[in-house]
Amino acid sequence: MSSTDAIKSIIPAPEGYVVNFENPQTQYVVESYTVVAVEMTLAFLFLVQRLYTKVAIMKQFQPEDAIVVVAWVLCMGAQICLLLGMTDGAIGRHAWEISIDQYTYYSKVILAAPLLYAFGTASAKCSLAMFYRRLNPNRIFQAFVWFTLFVTFGAYTSIFSSLLFACKPIAASWDPLLLPTAICLNRGGIYIAQAVIGIVTDVMLLVLPIPTVLKLQMPNKQKIGLVGIFGVGSITIATSVVRLIILLPALTTPDQTWVIGQGCLWIFIEANLLIMCCCLSTLRRFFKHFAPHLIGESSSTGNSKSNSRGFSNNKAQRTFGSSGAKRTLDTFMNTNNDSNGIPLSSFDDMDKSTKTTVVKAQRAHRDSDSEEAILFERSVQVTYEEARQDQKSDVRSHKPQVWTGNRL
């Protein structure tokens, strides 16, 4: 502890350094304010876009949407804590140019912000995993999704508990005067573990949907674009790596209030990118509703005029379950508020002992810009004839006919 001009600081200044409490040196303060102003606004707009699309356009407010809101609130809370620390002069300044009271405030901020950020990050990533859960009903895929959810939630819960109870007594985590007699864990190691967990879970969420995307029946260009949408989340991997690199020297320097300024800057970047990545899945549906020409879609009015009876102008006939690549993309991204199609049972899955099976096709509820043909309500009666055992030679091969949209 050092004292300069009757103001006590936590560490003494280096030899030859002129301490100036009135006008101290700062770093990454202006840059942080700029990043926060831009990215907080973008993250909020992305969140509003997602909520409007899911509630007003699709009318499907799902659990992951609520979790995104929770993630945004927690990430905002973490950023506000760090901003208050910068405004008070406790972050981005040399430790020998801030008072003991300011250092105590810094300790409180640097404890509260990671606690909020841990659960904010966990909420955002769990929301993405819950969205992935709807992409593929395959049991193996579902198992990987649940495994990712378990790892993400469990790891960040452990980080939260480790940070909160790092010192005994707990007050030593924010009161530097108690540190000489307190028993504390290596909090620097906990921060490194948090960054590493962030990188690992980001990689898991990046890789998880790729096998499903590659199996989609759509042009390769659309597959690449879809992988790119999920690949945007890899930006947070880069920010986590940078934050980890910055944290390593901060663990060995006593001037942590100075070094932590750069780390806070990258937290601002990463926290807002997480929210924006969570809102990308509804972006195409949003533009399809308000500005379809921006994504190469025709307007709903044009579709209604060109398809007077609801059938596509494409001369190629469509069968049950077939659709264009764009339609497939909407269905895969869960941004289509149409019904899931005609609930036709598979010929192979039907009970062959049943004499007659009746399958009904209901009129599909669709929005005005759907590319599907209007599906008329009709009943299809499928009759099975059992072959007698003594007439094995008279068994005929059955070739099922596929309905192509023309009236029978």
Side-chain angles (χ1 to χ4, degrees), residues 14-306:
E15 293 185 8
Y17 187 92
V18 180
V19 178
N20 187 349
F21 286 99
E22 297 295 330
N23 189 24
Q25 294 185 19
T26 59
Q27 72 166 352
Y28 297 107
V29 175
V30 176
E31 294 87 344
S32 296
Y33 289 155
T34 303
V35 168
V36 166
V38 174
E39 287 213 355
M40 270 191 177
T41 303
L42 288 175
F44 178 73
L45 293 176
F46 269 75
L47 180 66
V48 171
Q49 172 271 137
R50 174 180 177 130
L51 295 179
Y52 182 85
T53 302
K54 297 301 289 290
V55 175
I57 300 177
M58 299 177 61
K59 296 178 174 57
Q60 293 179 354
F61 190 79
Q62 297 165 319
E64 56 263 36
D65 301 317
I67 295 177
V68 170
V69 176
V70 173
W72 176 77
V73 171
L74 293 173
C75 288
M76 283 287 293
Q79 293 178 82
I80 290 173
C81 286
L82 297 177
L83 285 174
L84 290 175
M86 288 185 173
T87 304
D88 191 67
I91 296 178
R93 293 185 183 183
H94 289 293
W96 53 79
E97 286 188 320
I98 63 176
S99 64
I100 289 292
D101 292 337
Q102 285 178 309
Y103 194 88
T104 302
Y105 184 73
Y106 160 80
S107 300
K108 292 179 179 179
V109 166
I110 214 63
L111 173 65
L115 290 176
L116 291 171
Y117 190 56
F119 271 139
T121 305
S123 299
K125 294 182 179 182
C126 286
S127 174
L128 280 174
M130 291 182 68
F131 166 71
Y132 291 164
R133 186 173 58 90
R134 303 176 185 276
L135 301 184
N136 193 338
N138 181 272
R139 291 184 178 181
I140 298 177
F141 180 82
Q142 292 289 315
F144 276 111
V145 170
W146 284 108
F147 176 74
T148 303
L149 276 169
F150 175 78
V151 170
T152 301
F153 186 79
Y156 281 102
T157 301
S158 300
I159 291 295
F160 180 90
S161 301
S162 300
L163 288 173
L164 184 60
F165 303 105
C167 290
K168 184 180 180 180
I170 297 177
S173 297
W174 62 81
D175 189 350
L177 298 179
L178 297 177
L179 287 176
T181 59
I183 301 175
C184 294
L185 298 175
N186 183 6
R187 284 179 290 180
I190 299 175
Y191 294 137
I192 291 178
Q194 184 176 4
V196 171
I197 289 172
I199 295 172
V200 172
T201 51
D202 283 342
V203 171
M204 293 173 67
L205 289 170
L206 176 64
V207 174
L208 193 60
I210 291 180
T212 302
V213 173
L214 296 179
K215 293 179 182 179
L216 289 178
Q217 296 181 353
M218 61 170 60
N220 291 331
K221 290 183 179 180
Q222 296 234 359
K223 286 186 181 181
I224 295 173
L226 191 55
V227 171
I229 291 176
F230 293 109
V232 173
S234 63
I235 297 177
T236 58
I237 300 177
T239 57
S240 297
V241 171
V242 172
R243 186 158 55 88
L244 178 60
I245 295 173
I246 293 171
L247 279 175
L248 292 176
L251 303 179
T252 58
T253 178
D255 192 13
Q256 292 189 4
T257 56
W258 176 262
V259 178
I260 205 68
Q262 187 178 7
C264 291
L265 174 64
W266 284 97
I267 288 178
F268 294 142
I269 296 173
E270 183 180 34
N272 292 295
L273 281 176
L274 276 172
I275 303 301
M276 286 187 275
C277 289
C278 289
C279 300
L280 286 176
S281 61
T282 56
L283 197 59
R284 183 177 182 275
R285 187 66 180 86
F286 178 81
F287 281 113
K288 186 177 180 181
H289 182 77
F290 285 104
H293 60 279
L294 293 179
I295 56 174
E297 294 279 356
S298 59
S299 63
S300 58
T301 304
N303 284 343
S304 61
K305 290 181 179 180
S306 59

Side-chain angles (χ1 to χ4, degrees), residues 352-381:
K352 295 299 176 18
S353 62
T354 305
K355 293 290 184 180
T356 302
T357 302
V358 177
V359 183
K360 292 184 178 180
Q362 301 291 336
R363 178 183 292 270
H365 298 285
R366 63 186 185 87
D367 52 5
S368 59
D369 52 1
S370 174
E371 298 178 16
E372 293 296 311
I374 295 177
L375 302 177
F376 293 97
E377 183 176 357
R378 56 177 71 234
S379 297
V380 181
Q381 182 171 343

